[in-house]
PDB file of all heavy atoms in Angstrom:
ATOM      1  N   VAL K  72     -36.163  -7.848 -18.427  1.00 95.00           N
ATOM      2  CA  VAL K  72     -36.031  -7.465 -19.829  1.00 95.00           C
ATOM      3  C   VAL K  72     -37.410  -7.446 -20.499  1.00 95.00           C
ATOM      4  O   VAL K  72     -37.731  -6.523 -21.257  1.00 95.00           O
ATOM      5  CB  VAL K  72     -35.064  -8.417 -20.578  1.00 95.00           C
ATOM      6  CG1 VAL K  72     -35.152  -8.251 -22.083  1.00 95.00           C
ATOM      7  CG2 VAL K  72     -33.643  -8.184 -20.102  1.00 95.00           C
ATOM      8  N   ALA K  73     -38.224  -8.458 -20.202  1.00 94.00           N
ATOM      9  CA  ALA K  73     -39.568  -8.502 -20.779  1.00 94.00           C
ATOM     10  C   ALA K  73     -40.393  -7.314 -20.296  1.00 94.00           C
ATOM     11  O   ALA K  73     -41.119  -6.686 -21.079  1.00 94.00           O
ATOM     12  CB  ALA K  73     -40.260  -9.814 -20.414  1.00 94.00           C
ATOM     13  N   ALA K  74     -40.284  -6.995 -19.000  1.00 95.00           N
ATOM     14  CA  ALA K  74     -41.026  -5.846 -18.463  1.00 95.00           C
ATOM     15  C   ALA K  74     -40.533  -4.554 -19.100  1.00 95.00           C
ATOM     16  O   ALA K  74     -41.339  -3.681 -19.465  1.00 95.00           O
ATOM     17  CB  ALA K  74     -40.875  -5.787 -16.942  1.00 95.00           C
ATOM     18  N   ALA K  75     -39.214  -4.418 -19.241  1.00 95.00           N
ATOM     19  CA  ALA K  75     -38.656  -3.213 -19.868  1.00 95.00           C
ATOM     20  C   ALA K  75     -39.105  -3.123 -21.326  1.00 95.00           C
ATOM     21  O   ALA K  75     -39.450  -2.034 -21.805  1.00 95.00           O
ATOM     22  CB  ALA K  75     -37.132  -3.216 -19.771  1.00 95.00           C
ATOM     23  N   ALA K  76     -39.112  -4.236 -22.025  1.00 95.00           N
ATOM     24  CA  ALA K  76     -39.555  -4.238 -23.419  1.00 95.00           C
ATOM     25  C   ALA K  76     -41.028  -3.866 -23.500  1.00 95.00           C
ATOM     26  O   ALA K  76     -41.439  -3.093 -24.374  1.00 95.00           O
ATOM     27  CB  ALA K  76     -39.312  -5.607 -24.059  1.00 95.00           C
ATOM     28  N   SER K  77     -41.811  -4.399 -22.581  1.00 95.00           N
ATOM     29  CA  SER K  77     -43.237  -4.068 -22.546  1.00 95.00           C
ATOM     30  C   SER K  77     -43.441  -2.589 -22.260  1.00 95.00           C
ATOM     31  O   SER K  77     -44.255  -1.929 -22.908  1.00 95.00           O
ATOM     32  CB  SER K  77     -43.931  -4.923 -21.480  1.00 95.00           C
ATOM     33  OG  SER K  77     -45.264  -4.534 -21.330  1.00 95.00           O
ATOM     34  N   ASP K  78     -42.687  -2.068 -21.281  1.00 95.00           N
ATOM     35  CA  ASP K  78     -42.774  -0.639 -20.959  1.00 95.00           C
ATOM     36  C   ASP K  78     -42.357   0.212 -22.148  1.00 95.00           C
ATOM     37  O   ASP K  78     -42.994   1.224 -22.461  1.00 95.00           O
ATOM     38  CB  ASP K  78     -41.905  -0.299 -19.744  1.00 95.00           C
ATOM     39  CG  ASP K  78     -42.445  -0.886 -18.450  1.00 95.00           C
ATOM     40  OD1 ASP K  78     -43.625  -1.310 -18.438  1.00 95.00           O
ATOM     41  OD2 ASP K  78     -41.692  -0.914 -17.456  1.00 95.00           O
ATOM     42  N   ALA K  79     -41.286  -0.196 -22.815  1.00 96.00           N
ATOM     43  CA  ALA K  79     -40.804   0.558 -23.974  1.00 96.00           C
ATOM     44  C   ALA K  79     -41.834   0.514 -25.098  1.00 96.00           C
ATOM     45  O   ALA K  79     -42.092   1.527 -25.754  1.00 96.00           O
ATOM     46  CB  ALA K  79     -39.460  -0.004 -24.459  1.00 96.00           C
ATOM     47  N   ALA K  80     -42.434  -0.646 -25.314  1.00 96.00           N
ATOM     48  CA  ALA K  80     -43.449  -0.765 -26.354  1.00 96.00           C
ATOM     49  C   ALA K  80     -44.655   0.110 -26.020  1.00 96.00           C
ATOM     50  O   ALA K  80     -45.215   0.778 -26.901  1.00 96.00           O
ATOM     51  CB  ALA K  80     -43.884  -2.222 -26.514  1.00 96.00           C
ATOM     52  N   ALA K  81     -45.030   0.128 -24.743  1.00 96.00           N
ATOM     53  CA  ALA K  81     -46.158   0.977 -24.323  1.00 96.00           C
ATOM     54  C   ALA K  81     -45.816   2.452 -24.512  1.00 96.00           C
ATOM     55  O   ALA K  81     -46.642   3.239 -24.985  1.00 96.00           O
ATOM     56  CB  ALA K  81     -46.520   0.692 -22.873  1.00 96.00           C
ATOM     57  N   ALA K  82     -44.582   2.824 -24.170  1.00 96.00           N
ATOM     58  CA  ALA K  82     -44.158   4.218 -24.334  1.00 96.00           C
ATOM     59  C   ALA K  82     -44.139   4.590 -25.818  1.00 96.00           C
ATOM     60  O   ALA K  82     -44.591   5.679 -26.194  1.00 96.00           O
ATOM     61  CB  ALA K  82     -42.783   4.427 -23.709  1.00 96.00           C
ATOM     62  N   VAL K  83     -43.632   3.697 -26.651  1.00 96.00           N
ATOM     63  CA  VAL K  83     -43.607   3.957 -28.092  1.00 96.00           C
ATOM     64  C   VAL K  83     -45.037   4.108 -28.612  1.00 96.00           C
ATOM     65  O   VAL K  83     -45.333   5.002 -29.407  1.00 96.00           O
ATOM     66  CB  VAL K  83     -42.853   2.829 -28.846  1.00 96.00           C
ATOM     67  CG1 VAL K  83     -43.103   2.887 -30.332  1.00 96.00           C
ATOM     68  CG2 VAL K  83     -41.370   2.919 -28.550  1.00 96.00           C
ATOM     69  N   SER K  84     -45.917   3.245 -28.142  1.00 96.00           N
ATOM     70  CA  SER K  84     -47.319   3.317 -28.557  1.00 96.00           C
ATOM     71  C   SER K  84     -47.933   4.648 -28.145  1.00 96.00           C
ATOM     72  O   SER K  84     -48.628   5.296 -28.934  1.00 96.00           O
ATOM     73  CB  SER K  84     -48.091   2.147 -27.944  1.00 96.00           C
ATOM     74  OG  SER K  84     -49.457   2.255 -28.251  1.00 96.00           O
ATOM     75  N   ARG K  85     -47.670   5.065 -26.896  1.00 97.00           N
ATOM     76  CA  ARG K  85     -48.186   6.360 -26.421  1.00 97.00           C
ATOM     77  C   ARG K  85     -47.616   7.499 -27.258  1.00 97.00           C
ATOM     78  O   ARG K  85     -48.343   8.413 -27.649  1.00 97.00           O
ATOM     79  CB  ARG K  85     -47.822   6.574 -24.951  1.00 97.00           C
ATOM     80  CG  ARG K  85     -48.692   5.834 -23.980  1.00 97.00           C
ATOM     81  CD  ARG K  85     -48.472   6.317 -22.550  1.00 97.00           C
ATOM     82  NE  ARG K  85     -47.096   6.542 -22.176  1.00 97.00           N
ATOM     83  CZ  ARG K  85     -46.277   5.649 -21.651  1.00 97.00           C
ATOM     84  NH1 ARG K  85     -46.695   4.425 -21.443  1.00 97.00           N
ATOM     85  NH2 ARG K  85     -45.033   5.972 -21.329  1.00 97.00           N
ATOM     86  N   HIS K  86     -46.325   7.434 -27.539  1.00 97.00           N
ATOM     87  CA  HIS K  86     -45.692   8.496 -28.312  1.00 97.00           C
ATOM     88  C   HIS K  86     -46.253   8.552 -29.731  1.00 97.00           C
ATOM     89  O   HIS K  86     -46.500   9.640 -30.266  1.00 97.00           O
ATOM     90  CB  HIS K  86     -44.175   8.316 -28.348  1.00 97.00           C
ATOM     91  CG  HIS K  86     -43.529   8.538 -27.018  1.00 97.00           C
ATOM     92  ND1 HIS K  86     -42.339   7.966 -26.671  1.00 97.00           N
ATOM     93  CD2 HIS K  86     -43.917   9.263 -25.937  1.00 97.00           C
ATOM     94  CE1 HIS K  86     -42.013   8.331 -25.444  1.00 97.00           C
ATOM     95  NE2 HIS K  86     -42.961   9.108 -24.986  1.00 97.00           N
TER      96      HIS K  86
END
Side-chain angles (χ1 to χ4, degrees):
V72 167
S77 174
D78 291 345
V83 166
S84 176
R85 281 192 318 270
H86 291 154

